[in-house]
């Protein structure tokens, strides 16, 4: 794929939900346990994410490049941020052909902006230990590991936590 000259970060449109679900599942494919993995349905459920949180996308000329779920205060999609002074995002996904174009960085930046708008002073997130590309992105953006907040949503799945001060 040629580098794209520009892309827009905006809220997802209902007409894009199915394609966003496909993109998210594709981006997470190497981290799931195959087609029967119950987490795939959660990754694909963009309608619920858009209703109970905020679903942001990166788009260039009508082509979806990536998405992220920002979880505002009160969202049931929050996993680590019990306090309203913490922002959180989940399911950062970049299409394999769009990696290296800054799409993930732009989506994380938008989540940080939304968190500040909501009054947050820090951001928190969790990630699978094998998501090394994402970890490099988080480190470049100033995130630090927070091992005291590591957790397991289901037996056999361990998630590691990251935090960043926003102000």
């Amino acid at each position: 794929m040629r580098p794209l000259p520009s892309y827009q970060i905006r809220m997802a449109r209902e007409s894009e939900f199915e394609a966003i679900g496909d993109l998210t599942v594709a981006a997470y494919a190497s981290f799931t346990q195959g087609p029967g993995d119950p987490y795939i349905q959660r990754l694909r459920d963009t309608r619920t994410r858009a209703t109970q949180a905020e679903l942001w996308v990166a788009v260039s000329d009508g082509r979806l490049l990536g998405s992220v779920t920002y979880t505002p205060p009160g969202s049931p999609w929050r996993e680590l941020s019990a306090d309203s002074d913490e922002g959180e995002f989940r399911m950062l996904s970049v299409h394999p052909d769009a990696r290296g174009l800054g799409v993930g960085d732009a989506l994380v930046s938008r989540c940080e902006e939304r968190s500040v708008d909501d009054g947050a002073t820090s951001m928190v997130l969790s990630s699978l230990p094998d998501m090394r590309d994402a970890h490099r992105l988080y480190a470049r953006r100033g995130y630090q590991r927070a091992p005291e907040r590591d957790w397991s949503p289901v037996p056999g799945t361990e998630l590691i936590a990251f935090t960043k001060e926003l102000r």
Side-chain angles (χ1 to χ4, degrees):
M1 178 175 173
R2 293 182 331 213
L4 299 170
S6 65
Y7 48 86
Q8 175 187 25
I9 304 297
R10 62 166 170 74
M11 294 286 280
R13 297 177 180 150
E14 186 173 354
S15 61
E16 299 166 325
F17 288 173
E18 184 175 346
I20 295 166
D22 291 344
L23 182 150
T24 307
V25 169
Y28 277 71
S30 62
F31 305 107
T32 61
Q33 299 172 4
D37 188 328
Y39 195 59
I40 289 175
Q41 183 56 38
R42 190 116 165 117
L43 293 169
R44 196 174 292 288
D45 189 2
T46 53
R47 181 172 306 282
T48 302
R49 285 192 277 146
T51 302
Q52 297 178 345
E54 293 178 10
L55 186 56
W56 291 88
V57 293
V59 182
S60 178
D61 294 326
R63 182 173 176 204
L64 289 168
L65 304 178
S67 70
V68 68
T69 302
Y70 169 69
T71 62
S75 171
W77 286 81
R78 285 181 165 228
E79 294 178 318
L80 294 175
S81 55
D83 298 326
S84 61
D85 66 339
E86 289 182 319
E88 185 173 352
F89 65 88
R90 299 187 53 195
M91 298 179 183
L92 176 64
S93 306
V94 177
H95 190 283
D97 292 342
R99 291 185 180 149
L101 300 176
V103 172
D105 187 70
L107 289 165
V108 171
S109 178
R110 183 62 190 133
C111 290
E112 291 173 0
E113 292 167 2
R114 283 292 298 116
S115 291
V116 169
D117 291 346
D118 285 339
T121 58
S122 63
M123 181 71 83
V124 62
L125 64 104
S126 56
S127 177
L128 287 168
D130 293 342
M131 294 180 161
R132 291 178 190 89
D133 290 342
H135 303 168
R136 283 189 290 276
L137 166 65
Y138 303 148
R140 282 193 309 270
R141 294 198 58 83
Y143 286 82
Q144 302 289 319
R145 276 282 288 118
E148 70 282 1
R149 295 180 83 168
D150 292 355
W151 67 292
S152 175
V154 295
T157 299
E158 303 299 321
L159 297 176
I160 59 175
F162 296 84
T163 62
K164 176 183 177 179
E165 294 301 315
L166 296 174
R167 296 182 189 178

